[in-house]
Amino acid sequence: MSGSPPAADLLDLKFLPAWVREPASPNEYSNFAGEEEFQPRRDRPPQDRRRKSDRPNRRPPEKANRDQRQSREERRPRGQERQREDRPQPALPAVTVRFLPHVASLENVIVQIKSGSVAYSIFALARLFLEKPERYNVGLRAPENSELYQLGEHGPVSVDRRLLEAGAFALAKEDFYKIDIVQSDPIKGNFTNVARCRASGTLLGPTNHHSYQAQLRNLYEQRFSRRMNFADYQRQIEIVSDPEAVEQWKEQARNITTYTTTREEPPATFSSSNEVERHFRQHYLPDLIRATPEMNVNGVLSRRLPDRGLGRVIENAWSHETRSPSGMMQELAGALRQANLNIFRHRRGMLFVSSIRSRSFKHELTGVSPSIAAILEAISATPGIHRKELAEKLIAATPESADAERLKLSLASDLKWLVSAGYVIEFNDGSLDLPRVKPAAPVEEKSTTTPNEASANVETPTAEIPAPVEQQS
């Protein structure tokens, strides 16, 4: 909690493939000499050609190990494991999740789009934002008559206030206390073994030392209280008789940590972690946790929440949104429109964004230059053609005596004008296409029938079937 929010991961809209963006991995098989050549059965020495019945009945070592492991597991008492498996899983909280583009990343994308004339797929942009947690924020809304709890302004979020209270001191102690570590006199006494936590490797000291129980309880509360109960955690403790481990614990035990308040006058100093945590809970914790029905958290924080149920809800929503990013697409489309960028549909109704407003070419092709007419005709005949293919097609159709370099420059100049004017759309993958043309409305012909004939020809209206709506792919 003491750290500031992570810096935004700025997007690069070049859309380069992964093998270009990532460094080449070293060849892990450069020193591989190859397998030994298999010796056929007929080339084996005569002593190996024994019948199967003459060979000793030996199981392969891997099968023997597997059988021994299965026999040990069968002998192991499974009462507690069965109780743990049969225990019903808690229901996930009914929290509504939506994903929002990070402000700094979105501003970077808007600048890149405005600096060029290329059109980008909003579907691809939405997946690009969801690719890394630094690029999006998570909006959370609690169900009716419920609230969400957050530790500070940028701290973790939970649906249970007790979860935040349990780990609040470990996360926020540096914001309220100055922590100093000094060394005391060497530990006296003849100790032959120390206790060590198998899960973390932390040395807790001899079991007969006065600080053992306090350190055992503190380590459990800080790191393992959400995984197992205290009795199960005590079974993870092992006794080590290594002299080096004993000396290492003695050196660690010399360190004395003192906590001095930074927001009180005169400042108070505590030498015990229990005393300073009690002071923190009495003076700072009640005002540190805020409750609200709706809040936003950054994507990095959403992946390491202490509330496992809420974290699972966010993870499931992210997986669904990655497959079909309709929510992120709506957020991006609204933000891009506010930035005065043009949103249009093309290619089976897909949404695209560009800094140029596309429009159809309404002039007669006979009244424009032959170069522009050739470009428009080639793109109309081959939608999605690339620049290189267009140049090869148009220049190859000209006489051989023509100046190829001059034609290339003229083609590039005319194509640039068509793209900047909106008559041709250039997409980020390099393909070219003409804007979609809306079908003209049918012109109603003037009726020559008399009023009586018109009333006689009136038919009963029928239900009109709507046209199929193009769906986003």
Side-chain angles (χ1 to χ4, degrees):
M1 177 183 168
S2 58
S4 58
D9 180 38
L10 302 182
L11 282 74
D12 185 6
L13 296 187
K14 294 180 180 179
F15 289 96
L16 297 177
W19 62 270
V20 175
R21 287 184 275 114
E22 297 178 357
S25 58
N27 187 6
E28 299 178 356
Y29 304 98
S30 58
N31 299 325
F32 183 65
E35 297 181 354
E36 297 181 357
E37 185 178 357
F38 176 74
Q39 187 178 10
R41 187 176 183 86
R42 61 177 178 273
D43 297 336
R44 295 180 185 176
Q47 59 270 20
D48 289 340
R49 297 180 180 177
R50 295 180 295 178
R51 291 181 301 175
K52 186 176 180 180
S53 58
D54 298 337
R55 297 178 184 177
N57 186 13
R58 296 180 180 178
R59 290 179 296 178
E62 60 274 8
K63 185 175 181 181
N65 295 337
R66 184 172 63 251
D67 295 343
Q68 292 178 5
R69 184 169 59 253
Q70 290 178 355
S71 62
R72 287 197 303 267
E73 292 178 355
E74 291 176 358
R75 293 193 301 268
R76 184 183 303 170
R78 295 186 177 182
Q80 187 174 2
E81 295 181 1
R82 290 176 180 174
Q83 291 179 3
R84 203 173 285 175
E85 293 177 358
D86 298 339
R87 186 184 304 167
Q89 298 294 331
L92 298 179
V95 177
T96 305
V97 182
R98 65 190 184 106
F99 296 89
L100 313 170
H102 194 274
V103 176
S105 300
L106 179 61
E107 292 176 352
N108 175 54
V109 168
I110 292 174
V111 170
Q112 293 186 61
I113 296 176
K114 287 185 176 181
S115 62
S117 57
V118 180
Y120 297 92
S121 167
I122 297 184
F123 180 86
L125 288 177
R127 281 195 165 180
L128 202 61
F129 272 89
L130 294 169
E131 192 177 69
K132 292 185 178 182
E134 296 86 357
R135 299 173 181 173
Y136 63 83
N137 295 335
V138 181
L140 303 174
R141 185 173 70 248
E144 190 177 358
N145 300 328
S146 300
E147 288 183 331
L148 296 170
Y149 302 94
Q150 186 175 22
L151 186 64
E153 297 181 358
H154 305 288
V157 182
S158 175
V159 295
D160 190 355
R161 186 186 181 97
R162 294 172 297 179
L163 285 177
L164 296 182
E165 292 177 348
F169 175 72
L171 295 173
K173 59 184 178 182
E174 296 181 359
D175 296 338
F176 301 94
Y177 302 94
K178 179 184 177 182
I179 304 175
D180 298 319
I181 300 177
V182 296
Q183 283 194 339
S184 62
D185 297 333
I187 301 296
K188 297 180 180 180
N190 186 16
F191 301 101
T192 58
N193 53 49
V194 290
R196 181 171 62 186
C197 174
R198 289 195 187 98
S200 62
T202 305
L203 295 175
L204 302 174
T207 55
N208 58 351
H209 196 263
H210 62 86
S211 64
Y212 170 74
Q213 292 295 337
Q215 293 188 12
L216 178 66
R217 176 63 68 171
N218 290 338
L219 183 60
Y220 167 74
E221 294 292 342
Q222 293 177 6
R223 302 185 58 176
F224 303 99
S225 58
R226 296 190 302 272
R227 304 182 191 177
M228 61 186 80
N229 55 39
F230 187 68
D232 292 339
Y233 174 69
Q234 285 182 313
R235 300 188 185 97
Q236 303 291 328
I237 305 302
E238 61 179 353
I239 305 300
V240 181
S241 301
D242 187 7
E244 295 183 359
V246 176
E247 293 299 326
Q248 183 181 356
W249 168 79
K250 287 184 177 181
E251 199 64 27
Q252 294 177 0
R254 293 181 59 189
N255 297 331
I256 298 178
T257 305
T258 59
Y259 303 86
T260 305
T261 57
T262 58
R263 303 189 181 188
E264 293 182 1
E265 290 295 337
T269 303
F270 305 91
S271 58
S272 172
S273 59
N274 294 333
E275 294 179 359
V276 69
E277 185 172 356
R278 190 180 305 111
H279 179 271
F280 170 79
R281 292 181 177 276
Q282 293 177 356
H283 294 81
Y284 302 125
L285 184 58
D287 299 332
L288 194 59
I289 297 180
R290 64 187 186 98
T292 177
E294 187 173 358
M295 64 178 61
N296 294 339
V297 296
N298 63 74
V300 177
L301 180 62
S302 67
R303 294 197 174 189
R304 44 185 176 86
L305 296 177
D307 192 337
R308 292 189 174 184
L310 182 58
R312 181 63 60 84
V313 171
I314 297 176
E315 180 182 357
N316 295 341
W318 180 85
S319 300
H320 180 271
E321 188 73 12
T322 304
R323 292 191 299 267
S324 178
S326 57
M328 179 63 79
M329 289 177 63
Q330 293 180 1
E331 299 291 340
L332 286 176
L336 295 174
R337 285 193 181 96
Q338 292 182 357
N340 297 325
L341 292 173
N342 300 296
I343 309 294
F344 62 94
R345 290 189 178 273
H346 200 75
R347 293 182 180 177
R348 297 177 297 175
M350 294 181 62
L351 284 176
F352 291 86
V353 57
S354 176
S355 60
I356 299 173
R357 184 177 297 278
S358 60
R359 50 181 177 171
S360 60
F361 195 86
K362 298 182 180 180
H363 305 284
E364 294 292 338
L365 295 181
T366 57
V368 298
S369 65
S371 176
I372 292 180
I375 293 174
L376 294 176
E377 289 178 354
I379 297 177
S380 178
T382 312
I385 189 172
H386 287 252
R387 279 177 172 264
K388 184 178 180 180
E389 298 173 354
L390 179 65
E392 293 175 353
K393 183 177 182 180
L394 296 181
I395 295 176
T398 58
E400 297 180 0
S401 59
D403 188 0
E405 191 65 26
R406 181 180 58 81
L407 290 177
K408 289 181 180 180
L409 294 176
S410 177
L411 176 62
S413 177
D414 293 339
L415 183 58
K416 181 179 180 181
W417 176 79
L418 289 172
V419 172
S420 61
Y423 297 130
V424 174
I425 303 174
E426 182 179 10
F427 298 94
N428 64 285
D429 59 355
S431 60
L432 304 170
D433 204 350
L434 299 179
R436 297 174 64 183
V437 180
K438 295 182 179 180
V443 180
E444 297 181 359
E445 298 181 357
K446 295 183 179 180
S447 177
T448 58
T449 58
T450 61
N452 294 333
E453 293 175 349
S455 60
N457 295 332
V458 174
E459 297 180 358
T460 305
T462 58
E464 184 178 357
I465 301 177
V469 180
E470 295 180 339
Q471 296 182 354
Q472 178 76 35
S473 60

